[in-house]
């Protein structure tokens, strides 16, 4: 009888504990290990304080973030190193790396321990648990660390420009999703958006196009608005510095992209001698892929690229630089005497794997990658960089599906998965989008929240060792059809939540309806508190 009683008690305790910790399991992305502890909860609505080493300026910044978050969610701002029940932020080296953290809640104390970035992610988890349970934190022990080191989000600011304040909000949104790489697409055919001291015309002239297409290219509804776009729409070096610091405080590295040798028409419009025909060119007013690209046979082009990237590496003190490589038509190179001379000089002859022009593109990409390597940086390129044979030391971003990524991983190259089928967030989010959604991209189809959630970043056709080359995944937001920051938020939220689940937690088993419940019980409450615009389509369709 006694035994039965204890069994019953144990079951009761377990079920309470199970229920207690659901607030932590509802956190998106879900923490790796969540264990209930016995005891009463820690109530953030009471008198609490954040305890932190005051001489540690870096940690103090995280303490201020935490105070900001709590003030927004429970109404009162906890003092730092004041009176009350403590939330302790403490450095601890963990075997799971610098982004790992431990999080322990007891009735009178919360402890978040790890290295700096780890503590920052622990704070994000605490924030989500607070939002999910009105500030009441049941006792728990969490151990957490990310599945992937590269957890990216991309933003195209060439087609439409987003100002420093908006970019900062984007970074805040990324931090909330435990993302750590911001891929900033700052140059393209339709506008050059970063100040380069040596070439002031790039922004004075190259940032402005005469007019912009509105409506759809795909269905024939496109027409020009006949208004110049882009005056002053670029980032000064001062502004870049500000954004770099802002990102660093949130443990986000910025990956600037100067897209080459295609997607360069804004630069050609400014310096026409860099093109095969010599122009004249104009900053492109239409969407798509331009035939006019950098002339790969002109030594001035290499000089231009070296100079531009010298300034880029000074502005962006991070591991990677993105050098583009996508969608570079070869029609100009095929008939350009200088390009053909270069091809002959290099001894390139088309074969069954690559044309001579593709080899020439690989030569250009390798030139830039080698230049960056000398400066201590790594390069990333779109999957077209594989087309010309040896392309040097370039991490491959697989966007035309996964085949580029698979091929690269088999070659021993690092890979970032961004297939357009699942991770292009310029596409709409539901089938009947014409009636239900803001204007989006037509073409491939739609990318639903469910398909993002269901995406599996490690292709089954790779061996375990090859899979190790998949360093992470990223969603891209191209902005041909996205003109306002409100619309930016709508496109990425809540699809980033599903992405983050795959980037950070990488669950072996997925349950979409459970994910929807978890999402609405906590993260969506933070979107509301932060006044982020987001799509509710996934719920409307239930
Ligand atoms: C292809 S993705 C592009 C972009 C466009 C995008 C539209 C990639 C590497 N290049 O220039 O904006 O399609 O979805």
């Amino acid at each position: 009888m006694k035994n039965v009683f204890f069994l019953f008690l144990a079951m009761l305790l377990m079920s309470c504990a199970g229920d207690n910790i659901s607030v932590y399991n509802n956190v998106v992305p879900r923490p790796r290990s969540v264990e209930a502890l016995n005891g009463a909860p820690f109530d953030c609505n009471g008198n609490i304080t954040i305890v932190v080493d005051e001489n540690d300026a870096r940690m103090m910044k995280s303490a201020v973030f935490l105070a900001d978050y709590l003030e927004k969610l429970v109404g009162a701002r906890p003092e730092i190193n004041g009176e009350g029940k403590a939330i302790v932020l403490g450095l601890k080296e963990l075997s799971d790396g610098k982004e790992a953290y431990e999080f322990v809640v007891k009735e009178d104390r919360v402890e978040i321990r790890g290295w700096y970035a780890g503590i920052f992610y622990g704070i994000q988890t605490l924030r989500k648990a607070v939002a999910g349970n009105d500030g009441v934190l049941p006792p728990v022990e969490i151990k957490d660390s990310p599945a992937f080191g590269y957890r990216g989000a991309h933003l195209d600011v060439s087609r439409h420009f987003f100002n420093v304040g908006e970019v900062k909000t984007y970074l805040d949104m990324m931090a909330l999703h435990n993302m750590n790489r911001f891929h900033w697409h700052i140059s393209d055919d339709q506008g050059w958006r970063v100040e380069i001291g040596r070439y002031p015309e790039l922004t004075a002239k190259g940032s402005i196009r005469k007019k912009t297409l509105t409506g759809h290219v795909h269905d024939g509804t496109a027409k020009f608005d006949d208004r110049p776009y882009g005056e002053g729409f670029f980032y000064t070096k001062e502004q870049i510095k500000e954004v770099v610091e802002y990102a660093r405080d949130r443990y986000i590295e910025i990956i600037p992209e100067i897209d080459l040798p295609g997607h360069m028409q804004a630069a050609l419009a400014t310096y026409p001698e860099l093109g095969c025909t010599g122009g004249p060119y104009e900053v492109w007013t239409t969407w798509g892929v331009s035939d006019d690209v950098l002339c790969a046979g002109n030594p001035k082009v290499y000089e231009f690229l070296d100079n531009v990237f010298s300034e880029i590496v000074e502005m962006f003190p991070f591991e990677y630089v993105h050098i583009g490589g996508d969608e570079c038509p070869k029609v100009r190179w095929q008939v350009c005497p200088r390009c053909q001379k270069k091809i002959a000089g290099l001894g390139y002859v088309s074969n069954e794997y690559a044309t001579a022009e593709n080899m020439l593109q690989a030569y250009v990409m390798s030139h830039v990658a080698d230049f960056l390597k000398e400066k201590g940086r790594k390069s990333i390129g779109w999957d077209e960089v594989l087309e010309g044979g040896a392309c040097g030391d370039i991490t491959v971003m697989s966007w035309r599906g996964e085949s580029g990524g698979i091929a690269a991983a088999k070659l021993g190259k690092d890979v970032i998965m961004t297939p357009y089928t699942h991770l292009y967030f310029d596409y709409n989010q539901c089938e009947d989008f014409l009636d239900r959604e803001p204007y989006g991209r037509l073409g491939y189809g739609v990318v639903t929240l469910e398909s993002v959630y269901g995406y599996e970043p490690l292709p089954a056709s790779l061996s375990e060792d090859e899979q190790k080359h998949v360093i992470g995944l990223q969603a891209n937001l191209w902005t041909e059809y996205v003109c306002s920051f409100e619309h930016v938020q709508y496109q990425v939220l809540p699809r980033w939540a599903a992405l983050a689940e795959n980037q950070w937690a990488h669950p072996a088993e997925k349950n979409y309806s459970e994910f929807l419940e978890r999402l609405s019980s906590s993260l969506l409450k933070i979107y509301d508190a932060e006044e982020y615009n987001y799509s509710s389509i996934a719920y409307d369709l239930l």
Side-chain angles (χ1 to χ4, degrees), residues 156 159 188 263 326-327 382 399 424 426 441 478 480:
D156 165 15
R159 279 56 178 269
D188 214 303
H263 288 279
D326 59 315
E327 299 177 324
W382 299 108
W399 74 276
Y424 268 38
D426 48 343
R441 168 176 299 281
W478 302 101
E480 289 93 333

Side-chain angles (χ1 to χ4, degrees), residues 214-233:
T214 61
H216 268 299
V217 178
H218 301 78
D219 65 6
T221 59
K223 52 179 188 306
F224 287 105
D225 64 1
D226 292 323
R227 260 186 289 134
Y229 179 93
E231 170 93 58
F233 283 1

Side-chain angles (χ1 to χ4, degrees), residues 175-188:
L176 174 64
H177 295 81
N178 296 15
M179 291 174 180
N180 65 356
R181 297 284 186 278
F182 173 46
H183 174 173
W184 204 359
H185 188 82
I186 43 181
S187 73
D188 214 303

Side-chain angles (χ1 to χ4, degrees), residues 154 156 159 183 185 188-190 257 259 263 287-289 322 324-327 382-384 397 399-400 418 420 424 426-427 441-442 476-481:
H154 152 288
D156 165 15
R159 279 56 178 269
H183 174 173
H185 188 82
D188 214 303
D189 297 313
Q190 296 85 357
E257 180 184 358
D259 202 346
H263 288 279
W287 312 132
V289 180
H322 201 304
D326 59 315
E327 299 177 324
W382 299 108
D383 57 45
E384 286 93 332
M397 203 167 250
W399 74 276
R400 295 175 301 175
T418 68
Y420 71 95
Y424 268 38
D426 48 343
Y427 288 112
R441 168 176 299 281
L442 299 176
N476 296 336
L477 186 63
W478 302 101
T479 58
E480 289 93 333
Y481 301 97

